[in-house]
């Protein structure tokens, strides 16, 4: 008879036995992991205490923090450990739980500690947990627990980067709006108190002199353009504010060593038309005066075709005066005519005759019955007194305009505003 080769009924197929063994191993893994999870949960307090002690001993910036901020950092660290334990006990749960770690702290904490410091915090927590893995895991669980710690720490690092990126974006949008309000306040001449509080919120630190630059905005200004201009401005000055109003681009510089040089370095960032630098004022509180002069200069700069780029608003006094800027009229009289008139010694008469004689030394000497060297001496003294040289082509035009306006005021045909006024005609 043929040999009976049938398997015993109790025997199982190899495939079924492997599946059963895998399922059994999976159940054992879950039981071990659940047991480890319970030990982790029981040790949360110990882990948190060890973490805070490690933070205090290894991170100088943590020791230097205010007590309230230290408390929030401690809560973040404890929330990270708790979230890891909850996730480890339920490995099938999504890792979105890491986003809740930073929900325990106020938004202001992102200003108290940097992203780099947050990553240092994550590293310390990971080190403390890894050191205690032999006590928390048993046998084969050590490796899986270490891998879980590394995976979770990676997700926490990404979550931290996301939190700081969102905070930076929101802060950037808010700062841009606040900066626009400050620049608008400068243009409209708002109160000094409101201006000071707003600039303090923007982080304005300069206590030095301030000047305003005004020019045409590029045809299609972009946020990248204003950011680039702001960075360039802060290379040549301690602080800078940038604003765009319609087609005008406005830059407020604070604490520059040389404002003319700074304006020249930024001129290429403006549109194709002229760029005007307002007068330097002692502080940001007086920046409205500089802004008003810069706007008046930009309105009148077309009267000087050969004006340099950038041009100072003070160099445009004649054009501004002819365009109706009463502040420019006052400056011409107070800065040029009045000093020459007060100096005596025939300075005013010499300068007047010199200009009327076509800037000729010999003709002026004949009119005054003096030697040409005497005319030269008086002209040099007039330059020292007024700060403007009648013998230079452009400056002689400025001086001539000042003399005309000064004589008109003496005759009562002209009135000038007070020195605190920034309004034109």
């Amino acid at each position: 008879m043929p040999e009976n080769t049938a398997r015993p009924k109790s025997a199982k197929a190899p495939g079924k036995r492997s599946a059963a063994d895998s399922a059994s191993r999976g159940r054992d893994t879950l039981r071990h992991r659940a047991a480890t999870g319970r030990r982790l949960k029981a040790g949360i307090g110990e882990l948190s205490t060890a973490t805070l002690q490690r933070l205090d001993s290894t991170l100088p910036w943590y020791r230097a923090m205010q007590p309230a901020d230290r408390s929030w950092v401690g809560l973040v660290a404890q929330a990270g450990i708790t979230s890891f334990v909850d996730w480890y006990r339920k490995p099938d749960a999504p890792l979105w739980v890491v986003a809740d770690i930073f929900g325990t702290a106020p938004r202001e904490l992102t200003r108290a500690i940097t992203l780099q410091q947050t990553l240092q915090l994550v590293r310390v927590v990971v080190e403390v947990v890894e050191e205690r893995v032999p006590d928390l895991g048993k046998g084969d669980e050590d490796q899986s627990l270490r891998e879980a710690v590394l995976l979770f720490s990676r997700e926490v690092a990404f979550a931290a980067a996301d939190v700081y990126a969102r905070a930076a974006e929101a802060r950037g949008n808010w700062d841009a709006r606040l900066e626009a309000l400050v620049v608008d306040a400068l243009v409209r001449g708002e109160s000094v108190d409101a201006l000071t509080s707003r600039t303090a919120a923007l982080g304005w630190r300069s206590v030095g002199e301030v000047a305003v630059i005004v020019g045409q905005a590029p045809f299609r200004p972009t946020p990248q353009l204003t950011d680039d201009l702001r960075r360039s401005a802060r290379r040549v000055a301690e602080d800078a504010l940038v604003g765009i109003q319609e087609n005008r681009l406005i830059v407020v510089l604070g604490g520059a060593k040389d404002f003319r040089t700074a304006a020249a370095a930024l001129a290429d960032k403006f549109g194709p038309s002229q760029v005007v630098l307002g007068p330097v004022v002692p502080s940001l509180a007086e920046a409205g005066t500089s802004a008003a002069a810069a706007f008046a200069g930009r309105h009148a700069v077309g009267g000087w075709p050969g004006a340099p780029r950038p041009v100072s608003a003070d160099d445009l006094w004649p054009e501004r005066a002819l365009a109706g800027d009463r502040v420019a009229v006052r400056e011409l009289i107070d800065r040029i005519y009045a000093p020459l008139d007060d100096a005596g010694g025939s300075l005013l008469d010499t300068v007047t005759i010199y200009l009327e004689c076509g800037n000729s030394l010999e003709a002026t000497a004949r009119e005054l019955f003096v030697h040409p060297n005497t005319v030269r001496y008086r002209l040099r003294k007039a330059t020292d007194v007024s700060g403007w040289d009648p013998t230079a082509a452009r400056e002689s035009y400025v001086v001539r305009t000042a003399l005309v306006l000064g004589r008109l005021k003496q005759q009562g045909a002209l009135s000038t505003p007070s020195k605190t006024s920034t309004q034109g005609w």
Side-chain angles (χ1 to χ4, degrees), residues 102 119 153-163:
F102 301 98
L119 296 179
S153 64
R154 183 194 68 181
E155 296 299 324
V156 171
F158 280 122
D162 181 68
V163 168

Side-chain angles (χ1 to χ4, degrees), residues 377-388:
Y377 169 78
R378 291 178 181 177
L379 291 178
R380 284 196 298 269
K381 190 174 181 180
T383 301
D384 295 336
V385 168
S386 67
W388 295 81

Side-chain angles (χ1 to χ4, degrees), residues 62-76:
Y62 176 77
R63 294 193 300 271
M65 293 181 74
Q66 297 294 328
D69 292 332
R70 285 169 58 112
S71 175
W72 284 119
V73 171
L75 286 177
V76 170

Side-chain angles (χ1 to χ4, degrees), residues 42-54:
I44 285 178
E46 180 184 352
L47 288 173
S48 299
T49 301
T51 299
L52 294 180
Q53 291 174 348
R54 183 70 60 85

Side-chain angles (χ1 to χ4, degrees), residues 55 59 61 73 76-77 117-126:
L55 289 174
L59 300 180
W61 59 264
V73 171
V76 170
Q117 292 170 340
T118 303
L119 296 179
Q120 292 174 357
L121 168 65
V122 173
R123 183 180 295 111
V124 169
V125 174
V126 171

Side-chain angles (χ1 to χ4, degrees), residues 17 54 139 222 244 250 256 333 379 397:
R17 185 168 59 251
R54 183 70 60 85
T222 62
I244 296 179
I250 306 164
I333 295 173
L379 291 178
Y397 172 66

Side-chain angles (χ1 to χ4, degrees), residues 124-183:
V124 169
V125 174
V126 171
E127 289 175 353
V128 171
V129 174
E130 281 188 326
E131 288 174 1
R132 281 159 174 73
V133 163
D135 299 331
L136 300 174
K138 290 185 178 181
D140 296 338
E141 298 176 37
D142 289 358
Q143 185 62 29
S144 63
L145 186 56
R146 292 181 188 276
E147 293 175 356
V149 171
L150 294 177
L151 175 61
F152 192 81
S153 64
R154 183 194 68 181
E155 296 299 324
V156 171
F158 280 122
D162 181 68
V163 168
Y164 276 82
R166 291 177 183 272
E169 183 178 2
R171 186 164 58 248
N173 291 336
W174 167 250
D175 288 350
R177 290 192 294 269
L178 183 58
E179 187 175 28
L181 289 174
V182 170
V183 173

Side-chain angles (χ1 to χ4, degrees), residues 335-336 339-348 350-351 361 372-391 399:
R335 301 284 191 88
I336 301 177
L340 291 175
D341 190 28
D342 295 340
S346 302
L347 287 187
L348 184 60
T350 299
V351 173
L361 288 173
N373 286 340
T374 302
V375 176
R376 289 191 181 93
Y377 169 78
R378 291 178 181 177
L379 291 178
R380 284 196 298 269
K381 190 174 181 180
T383 301
D384 295 336
V385 168
S386 67
W388 295 81
D389 184 2
T391 64
V399 173

